[in-house]
Amino acid sequence: MGEQTGILLQQLMRAHHNACMAALARRGVRDVGSPRLLWELSTYPDDPERAPTQKELADKLHSAPPTVAASLKVLERQGYVERRTDQRDTRRNRISITQKGRDTIAQSMDAFRQVEGHMYSGFSPQERETADGLLSRMLANLYQIGGDKRQDPPPDPLGPPPPAPTAGLPKNPI
């Protein structure tokens, strides 16, 4: 594997992002800055008692809680989500998607399916499955070496760096 792989992955991510933004704009829902967060909220039941907390969302999305907090603030201001105080613990808020958010997610999912269809154009079902499997494995591998923004990176899998050479240095310089 050469240097080209990283460049190709970066180009693929950028092209995918741009295609998704264009498809969302054609549907009039480009202003949703966090469609993945909104989609995650749409998977929860329409029950305020079972709605997720901000921390639960951050864990699900592999994002830092402050990042999720900033995204939620924007989505709330736009009317896509609402916060409700947890009845059992008033220090926590439960986050729910609004009907406007659900309608937007339906339009967004159509846009994402269209982009995915174009991205996999000419691929057989077996090739699609293989590509998805390879990408999932790459993601899991990157999470193992610090690709998960929620936590500090784990120790280097190749071991700690060798100690710096001390030849010629005094044993106790103080």
Side-chain angles (χ1 to χ4, degrees):
M1 182 160 65
E3 299 170 12
Q4 189 70 10
T5 302
I7 294 168
L8 192 56
L9 283 171
Q10 180 62 34
Q11 289 173 329
L12 177 66
M13 288 174 23
R14 175 58 52 199
H16 182 266
H17 173 79
N18 290 343
C20 286
M21 295 310 290
L24 290 170
R26 285 191 294 276
R27 287 167 175 75
V29 291
R30 187 178 179 158
D31 71 325
V32 180
S34 304
R36 174 72 174 99
L37 175 56
L38 203 55
W39 180 83
E40 186 62 43
L41 281 168
S42 75
T43 66
Y44 285 86
D46 220 3
D47 175 5
E49 294 298 314
R50 295 171 57 197
T53 64
Q54 185 174 305
K55 180 172 179 350
E56 290 167 345
L57 286 171
D59 288 345
K60 275 273 206 164
L61 296 170
H62 297 274
S63 294
T67 302
V68 171
S71 295
L72 285 172
K73 190 179 290 187
V74 172
L75 290 172
E76 186 176 25
R77 196 174 333 124
Q78 294 172 325
Y80 295 120
V81 302
E82 60 187 10
R83 297 173 200 250
R84 293 190 181 113
T85 303
D86 187 323
Q87 297 302 315
R88 288 170 280 166
D89 183 351
T90 57
R91 296 170 296 176
R92 293 191 304 174
N93 287 317
R94 298 252 171 214
I95 315 299
S96 299
I97 189 170
T98 63
Q99 187 58 50
K100 178 182 177 181
R102 288 191 186 285
D103 294 343
T104 299
I105 279 301
Q107 292 175 317
S108 298
M109 294 311 293
D110 286 343
F112 298 147
R113 278 190 285 276
Q114 177 192 22
V115 169
E116 186 174 305
H118 283 284
M119 183 173 71
Y120 282 117
S121 180
F123 283 60
S124 70
Q126 176 65 31
E127 289 171 322
R128 286 178 75 141
E129 188 175 319
T130 299
D132 287 347
L134 292 171
L135 291 169
S136 293
R137 282 176 47 200
M138 285 185 235
L139 183 60
N141 288 343
L142 291 174
Y143 281 165
Q144 289 177 7
I145 61 166
D148 187 337
K149 295 290 186 192
R150 295 176 303 154
Q151 54 195 345
D152 291 332
D156 189 329
L158 301 177
T166 58
L169 296 177
K171 297 256 187 230
N172 188 357
I174 301 178

